[in-house]
Amino acid sequence: MRRLIAALLACAAWAAPTVAPAAAQTGPQALADAYPDAVARVDAKTLYWRDGTHLPLGSPAPRDFATMLRDASLYDQLRLPYPAGAPLAPPAIDDDPGRFRDSAFFDRLYGDCRRGEVAPHLVPVVWLPRTWGRTVRFTAIAGAARALATVSRALDALPTAETRMLYPPAGTYVCRAVADTGRRSMHGWGAAIDINTRFADSWYWHPDQRDTPVWHNVIPADIVSIFEAHGFVWGGRWYHYDTMHFEYRPELFAHPATD
Ligand SMILES: [Zn+2]
């Protein structure tokens, strides 16, 4: 029996994932790698769309947090490394990898929802086909809906204690601003999903946490790692945490996987 246990332990050690990689800092090239159908190339100052237009990257020098939150450049968008695969733990102060978003970039990529440009690209994705089986709407642009469908099928194989945290989803597309910044969230581009609010927590739901968020999370690593394997960042990795929130941001992964 002891030998069997030793063998099982050895097997488990061999099969265990290697040490979680450190958060990878991606540079402007990641934008071309992550969105190849839309982005032709980048250089140190400019992103060139395939339609011949271009967008400045901004300054590589960091700016203050509030400015980057409200008016991010593409350099700001990539500034904070996303710790994919790392243990789930309270983030450092103002470590919000993914919350800086260049609106001009995403408006050009997915459309401006205020002008009705996003909705025509939304397609149905069956959420948890075995467990819940209803559809949510997600943008088909940049492989986002395809990635969500892959995530959905993988999540559906998790134990019931975990899948029950995933439905009913609290929403995907909605053309609105983020409460605390006044900027549109990825929900406005049809590229974010909120899971069951009953298992979620957010710094913004606690008036006493407005200055100092106190991280609280019950979402297991199994769920987070499936999303991250397909290019989604999790709001639970933000100092300003939002644990029901996942958004498609393949440019923040060194090796984005969309299938
Ligand atoms: Zn959300």
Side-chain angles (χ1 to χ4, degrees):
M1 186 63 182
R2 197 174 294 164
R3 274 170 63 190
L4 176 63
I5 291 171
L8 285 172
L9 284 173
C11 186
W14 180 82
T18 47
V19 175
Q25 177 80 62
T26 59
Q29 179 59 35
L31 295 161
D33 294 342
Y35 305 103
D37 293 344
V39 178
R41 65 187 177 90
V42 293
D43 60 26
K45 294 184 175 173
T46 307
L47 176 145
Y48 300 89
W49 298 103
R50 290 202 178 276
D51 69 0
T53 60
H54 61 273
L55 192 62
L57 299 184
S59 167
R63 302 182 293 165
D64 70 88
F65 181 85
T67 302
M68 291 193 287
L69 203 57
R70 286 177 173 75
D71 187 28
S73 68
L74 282 172
Y75 268 116
D76 297 332
Q77 184 169 312
L78 298 165
R79 196 168 303 286
L80 299 177
Y82 183 79
L88 309 190
I93 292 174
D94 285 352
D95 193 13
D96 285 358
R99 282 189 85 214
F100 304 150
R101 307 175 190 89
D102 183 333
S103 299
F105 173 81
F106 288 116
D107 278 350
R108 173 63 191 78
L109 181 68
Y110 294 124
D112 181 341
C113 66
R114 296 167 303 186
R115 294 160 63 175
E117 295 169 350
V118 174
H121 299 284
L122 301 176
V123 296
V125 173
V126 180
W127 190 239
L128 308 179
R130 179 180 63 88
T131 309
W132 195 61
R134 282 167 249 180
T135 57
V136 297
R137 295 192 305 156
F138 221 67
T139 183
I141 292 172
R146 196 170 64 233
L148 187 70
T150 305
V151 166
S152 174
R153 288 190 296 270
L155 292 171
D156 212 9
L158 291 175
T160 304
E162 298 184 354
T163 54
R164 70 196 183 104
M165 298 179 172
L166 299 163
Y167 68 93
T172 53
Y173 171 68
V174 57
C175 188
R176 64 158 157 72
V178 181
D180 66 310
T181 65
R183 307 296 295 187
R184 259 166 301 151
S185 82
M186 288 308 290
H187 291 284
W189 289 295
I193 185 167
D194 293 331
I195 60 175
N196 187 340
T197 55
R198 194 154 69 84
F199 299 92
D201 205 351
S202 165
W203 72 287
Y204 201 74
W205 295 349
H206 304 277
D208 58 329
Q209 291 188 25
R210 293 295 162 83
D211 293 328
T212 309
V214 180
W215 192 78
H216 172 248
N217 172 54
V218 299
I219 306 300
D222 281 354
I223 289 176
V224 175
S225 61
I226 287 171
F227 275 103
E228 289 179 344
H230 299 283
F232 287 78
V233 304
W234 176 46
R237 293 213 190 271
W238 299 338
Y239 178 66
H240 297 88
Y241 64 95
D242 180 2
T243 67
M244 67 180 172
H245 178 90
F246 293 87
E247 65 181 62
Y248 185 63
R249 298 291 299 283
E251 78 275 21
L252 295 174
F253 294 81
H255 302 288
T258 53
D259 274 310

